[in-house]
Amino acid sequence: MNYLNLKTNDFIIEITEEKPISVWIDPRFQLEIKNFKEKRKNTSFELIQCSSQIELNNIVSTISFCPDNVTEIPTFVKEINLKLNEYILNQKKYFDRIVDEILKLKNRSWLSSEEKKYTKKEILLKFGEIKEIHFNKDFSYSIFYNDNQIFLGHNIEVRIKKEKITEITFAG
């Protein structure tokens, strides 16, 4: 079994200067920002986007995260290695839960009138590969799977926090 050992220099780091175009900010978002009153005095801010390509199960996927500042990047990379190695180690457990949930959802409310119910084996054969993994500031992460048209082209988003699936939903 191959484990990840990503380094900071494995990531493309893009820093852009952004100017807000809207004055309304979701109050939940405000709570997450430290020193919000001081930050809103600024007319622009730095947006840091870090991304890398990795190979998981012979599929190339993108990993991304957005730290508040460049000094956080080594901490993110360390946590990404820990989280993804845990995922790789327990991939069957995660995958079984994801497939079970997708099967229930497909058969309960995503069948067209002429479509028959899917079996677990049929879902396993159609279920897509990992497209992207995005890490949040609290080191929870979302894995985006290609649905291979099971759900009309929507990505399947699996949210994981503290080594547990918290939600399986659609994106896009």
Side-chain angles (χ1 to χ4, degrees):
M1 184 173 303
N2 293 334
Y3 289 100
L4 293 177
N5 188 19
L6 296 167
K7 309 271 188 275
T8 301
N9 60 358
D10 292 328
F11 287 84
I12 297 170
I13 300 167
E14 298 176 65
I15 302 173
T16 57
E17 193 74 19
E18 300 292 332
K19 292 185 182 214
I21 58 172
S22 175
V23 293
W24 185 86
I25 296 178
D26 186 328
R28 292 173 294 177
F29 181 69
Q30 282 181 338
L31 293 174
E32 294 179 18
I33 298 176
K34 292 180 184 177
N35 305 317
F36 178 72
K37 289 181 182 179
E38 291 169 20
K39 285 190 177 185
R40 77 175 170 196
K41 291 177 188 174
N42 295 335
T43 58
S44 64
F45 61 94
E46 270 189 352
L47 178 64
I48 303 168
Q49 172 74 34
C50 302
S51 62
S52 182
Q53 300 286 313
I54 62 164
E55 189 175 315
L56 288 173
N57 300 327
N58 299 319
I59 303 293
V60 175
S61 303
T62 301
I63 296 178
S64 63
F65 64 95
C66 296
D68 286 332
N69 58 63
V70 292
T71 61
E72 293 178 347
I73 294 172
T75 302
F76 264 94
V77 173
K78 180 181 174 189
E79 285 296 321
I80 286 169
N81 282 321
L82 289 171
K83 301 294 184 193
L84 290 183
N85 284 326
E86 187 277 333
Y87 175 82
I88 291 167
L89 185 64
N90 296 297
Q91 194 168 1
K92 180 166 174 20
K93 174 188 80 166
Y94 285 109
F95 201 71
D96 284 346
R97 164 98 191 277
I98 294 165
V99 169
D100 287 345
E101 292 296 320
I102 289 170
L103 179 64
K104 280 191 268 182
L105 186 59
K106 178 67 177 175
N107 287 336
R108 187 175 54 224
S109 59
W110 279 83
L111 291 175
S112 63
S113 58
E114 66 277 349
E115 224 174 357
K116 65 177 181 61
K117 287 192 172 194
Y118 279 72
T119 65
K120 189 170 185 173
K121 184 178 180 180
E122 290 169 325
I123 288 288
L124 280 168
L125 290 173
K126 284 194 82 153
F127 189 59
E129 66 278 347
I130 294 174
K131 291 176 69 172
E132 182 179 348
I133 304 170
H134 180 76
F135 281 82
N136 301 307
K137 290 182 183 358
D138 65 354
F139 304 116
S140 63
Y141 59 102
S142 292
I143 300 176
F144 295 89
Y145 289 90
N146 182 340
D147 83 329
N148 285 331
Q149 295 300 313
I150 298 171
F151 299 104
L152 305 175
H154 289 69
N155 291 325
I156 299 164
E157 180 181 356
V158 178
R159 297 178 184 166
I160 299 173
K161 185 172 186 172
K162 296 184 179 177
E163 293 80 39
K164 289 187 175 30
I165 294 174
T166 59
E167 187 174 15
I168 298 173
T169 187
F170 299 115

